[in-house]
Amino acid sequence: MIETIIPGDRRSAVYDFWRTDKVLKDRCQFIAGQYQRYVDNPTVENYFMSLVTDYILEGLYFYNGFITFYNFASRMLMPGSADIFKMINRDELSHVRLFQKLIPEAMAIFPHSKDAIYEMMDTAVRHECKWTNHIVGNNILGITEHSTEQYTKYLANIRLKAIGLDALYPEPRYQKSPYSHLERFSDTKAEGHTKANFFEAQVTSYVMSSGVGGWDEI
Ligand SMILES: [Fe+2]
């Protein structure tokens, strides 16, 4: 989308937005800081927490962004972009499934603190809500600061339960998604929340931006 919409000389401002936006920088630093902790001090505990960081990154971050485009699509706005987000969403959910298998195995092997997992999830929820309120807020029809909080806490609950932990937010309003009416746009209703029937779907693919260097090294 950036390659299509934003003129070349302004693209780096988008990619570098974290440098000038404190809310975004704090959000990025929280995740990056978890990995840095392992780099600086490579203990098994820190390795385990890096796995949890991966899980939160795959399973909590981004989803309010997906919702923004499904909301647009529900009003026939930017349906092509919603289709691309649907594919990215499906990719992320397949990564979530990987970590849902991996983390319980890791819990059986590595020393870890459940309280640290809950605390990390709670901090991630706060970052995700703060960022979404900062960039979307109440300015897009179908999304409010209230629905963002409800959805993010609902997501945290289902992610925790999927790895054998308890819901962090036990109140009834955090047990269901405020965006279930958008599931026909996200196409992620099947068991495991991944796309229902791959073989009936049209074969499409998306490409990553070439506007940022360094991806080849990853
Ligand atoms: Fe992913």
Side-chain angles (χ1 to χ4, degrees):
M1 286 172 60
I2 288 169
E3 299 294 306
T4 311
I5 298 167
I6 316 250
D9 57 330
R10 284 170 48 203
R11 276 175 212 154
S12 62
V14 177
Y15 298 129
D16 287 336
F17 191 49
W18 65 272
R19 294 180 194 275
T20 52
D21 189 277
K22 191 179 181 308
V23 176
L24 181 57
K25 188 177 181 183
D26 287 349
R27 177 176 180 261
C28 297
Q29 268 183 339
F30 170 64
I31 290 295
Q34 303 296 329
Y35 296 125
Q36 192 62 47
R37 189 175 303 168
Y38 175 68
V39 171
D40 295 340
N41 187 16
T43 63
V44 281
E45 288 88 348
N46 286 344
Y47 177 72
F48 177 83
M49 289 314 284
S50 294
L51 292 179
V52 176
T53 306
D54 286 339
Y55 184 45
I56 290 174
L57 193 57
E58 307 282 7
L60 191 82
Y61 279 49
F62 309 121
Y63 290 76
N64 281 292
F66 298 148
I67 287 295
T68 305
F69 286 90
Y70 300 147
N71 257 303
F72 288 152
S74 75
R75 283 179 280 125
M76 293 305 291
L77 299 170
M78 301 176 75
S81 301
D83 279 346
I84 298 297
F85 277 96
K86 196 158 73 180
M87 284 188 276
I88 299 170
N89 197 163
R90 188 189 60 193
D91 271 10
E92 297 316 320
L93 288 171
S94 67
H95 306 158
V96 165
R97 291 293 280 170
L98 173 69
F99 283 96
Q100 285 173 346
K101 297 284 179 197
L102 208 146
I103 289 178
E105 299 283 340
M107 278 173 161
I109 297 167
F110 299 123
H112 64 279
S113 153
K114 286 190 171 60
D115 285 345
I117 299 174
Y118 289 125
E119 193 187 319
M120 190 196 273
M121 184 64 90
D122 191 46
T123 305
V125 164
R126 274 188 280 114
H127 278 296
E128 182 63 7
C129 288
K130 192 174 180 187
W131 164 247
T132 306
N133 293 340
H134 176 58
I135 209 79
V136 175
N138 295 315
N139 297 316
I140 289 175
L141 192 62
I143 298 173
T144 64
E145 293 194 0
H146 185 80
S147 68
T148 293
E149 185 203 8
Q150 189 185 350
Y151 181 61
T152 310
K153 291 184 174 177
Y154 155 79
L155 271 184
N157 280 344
I158 61 169
R159 298 302 184 231
L160 287 167
K161 285 193 276 186
I163 56 169
L165 298 179
D166 298 324
L168 186 56
Y169 311 99
E171 298 91 333
R173 68 181 182 279
Y174 301 132
Q175 311 313 312
K176 56 182 191 298
S177 169
Y179 301 128
S180 52
H181 59 287
L182 298 175
E183 272 163 10
R184 66 201 166 97
F185 298 100
S186 64
D187 197 14
T188 52
K189 264 170 98 176
E191 198 185 345
H193 305 288
T194 49
K195 192 175 171 65
N197 190 336
F198 177 80
F199 294 102
E200 282 181 11
Q202 215 178 352
V203 177
T204 35
S205 66
Y206 61 91
V207 290
M208 285 176 60
S209 166
S210 56
V212 177
W215 288 103
D216 291 344
E217 292 160 36
I218 303 170

